[in-house]
Amino acid sequence: MELNLSRVDYLQVGVTSQKTTKLFPGAVGKTQRIVVGDQDGLLQCLQMKKGDAQVIFKAVSPKGITRVELGGPVGGARERVFLSTGSEIKGFTKKGKNFLSFDTNLSEPIQSMFVEGADLFTCGNYVYNHYKDCKDTNYFLSADKISDVLCLPMEKNDDITPVLACQDRVLRVLQDAELLYEVEVPGPPVVLQLYGKEADHGYGGICYNEENRLKVPFPICYGEEGNEILYGTSDGRVGLVQIGRFAPSHRWELPNEKRNGGVLSLDNFDITADGVLDLIVGRDDGLVEIYSYDEAEEPVQRFNHTLSESVTSVQGGCVATPGYDEIVCTTYAGWVLGLTSEQQTKGMGPSEVVITAAASSKIGSLKQELDNLQVKVSTEREKYQQSAGSKTAISAVPGFNTNDKFVLNREDASYTLSLELQLPIDNVLLQSDVPIDLLDVEKNSAVVSYSACNPEEGNYLLATYRCQANTTRLELKIRSIEGQYGTLQAYVTPRVQPKTCQVKQYNIKPLSLHQRTHVFDDNRPLNTVKLTGQFSLAEMHSWVSFCLPELPERTPPGETVTFHFMSTFLDTLLECVYSKGEAVFRSDNISTISILKDVLTKEATKKKIRLDISYDINDESIAYTLNLIHPRLEYQLLLAKKVQLIDALKELQVHEEDLTFMSPEYRQILEEADALQAEFKRQPCHLERLYGMITDLYIDKFKFKGVNVKGKVPALLEVLDNYDLQTLVEFFNTSA
């Protein structure tokens, strides 16, 4: 069955956060109301009538709305609206009556929440609280930042089982105030959704009755046991995990092979009307996807649609026209729109288009509204020009929100920098005081120009991206060099008068291409560095956080802290174990150990703390690391060789009609010429990076032995130009 959905725009509200749009329950064959909250603190309940969004009720909060949830009796219809604003929870009936104003008095604002019956679950950045009838019941301090929270349905589970999505790639399953166990997931989880949960929509979707082919409701379902949870990660993966009583079970995972954006929203709804709930995914690059399930209960993509802004909420239901299902989406800039199954375009033909009286009236009112707005804008512009000319006037700088993310991608060992505004972007200037590479992004239509810069003055990069007229989101890819650290700054200028600019700063860390993992292989040949001195646990944690990404700002609880990392470029491992006065670091890459030792020593010197350093170098780790580099280096050398041959082969192709005399290898290069050149262009400095890593490995090996071998680097480069793994290993072993 082919799935055809058409976009329909409903209205625009203020800038929205994640999960701030919900659909009220609705009976079969009738439309549902939309409730949406924005960062201006405005909550609106809307219903579509004859194509217009009519406001049922509004509520205003002094602070921005961070979450909107629907609640009701356990197992019953969810017809009450709960919103979080600052540290306060407010509740409204479906008619707009404010029945709850509950100030939690938490020290940090509420970022996520979940409502189940009389139980309220709230989370700040690190603190989880459980309230029963607005009375504080349980409390939990997370080791890392919390992104989302939900609770397993109580009608299916006897115990109250909250689940926290945390930035350290872990789902934390709680029982009361205790940690039951942790579930490792492949990326930092951003959003959670109960699998099969349809109570928010009032009925379990619609399906076909086999006897008379009529759409009828099927019952609310939570999966077989009500303990299956969908999660979406910041690096674009989606998975399903079953939360058992004593251990989790991973059901399936959707890899992000196409390198789409991070997942911001999830929902379940039977948009295909086949009696089985479909999976709806909204991403931060504007992509909306619909997946159906095959016979093995694995998701298969059925539909996708790309919007120009990140999708903060997706909900399946029936909103505009009775009998026509749709996906309601809310974007960061506040657009509320639908992807509807109702046909929006009429068939082409010789007959004249007939405009109804209602449509004509609507067109007239829109024209009148547009004229009024133009008059108002010109009047306000004149007022501003007059006030700007006076000597006592104070220029007001227009403020704007910027939704920015700086995320490490495991697939290509690069960082994705995304900048999103509610206003169109005019230009973005990038400035860096460390060497970085800008990689090509297919989705990026901006024109980039580079300016000359002097590294001696602390400028290694000056690049300007000029955007097209209606661009509100810009995505860039950046690759850093480990061992060189500093700051990347983005100057964002929107198309607004008077001209204004916001500066965003991003730290490039010494070991910037490492990501958190929860697995460590002790059987690898490991190098060890041990630091002892008069430092506290908090001081050492701040130093390690300065060196490595994805670490919590707060010092984790306990006397000893352990973190594991994996290099996204080489798959080497790093273990950090530290406590008050002692820190031990182990890695199979000697360069990682060398960078850590140098940076930590420098940080301790700033604090005037003396460090005693001891190390144990395993010579076998050199050959092991070179073997990890080998397939990447061999592939890049072969790719560079093929690209060099393309021009000569194409010239030969012009002069020769019959190419059968060519070897199959050369014919294949001609067939794949465009793909090879595109890949080489995407990774312009990949080969140089690998050469640099091998050179650093060579220097670091002998540095720990007290020998300076920088004078022998030219000889090493000669070996690399005629690359052979065994010869390279022998060079490392024989040089001194």
Side-chain angles (χ1 to χ4, degrees), residues 146 203 284:
I146 302 170
Y203 55 92
D284 64 13

Side-chain angles (χ1 to χ4, degrees), residues 239-257:
L240 178 68
V241 63
Q242 188 169 10
I243 305 298
R245 186 174 293 273
F246 303 107
S249 173
H250 290 272
R251 297 286 299 278
W252 51 258
E253 178 203 329
L254 280 176
N256 189 13
E257 296 174 349

Side-chain angles (χ1 to χ4, degrees), residues 48 107 311 736:
M48 300 304 299
S107 58
V311 183

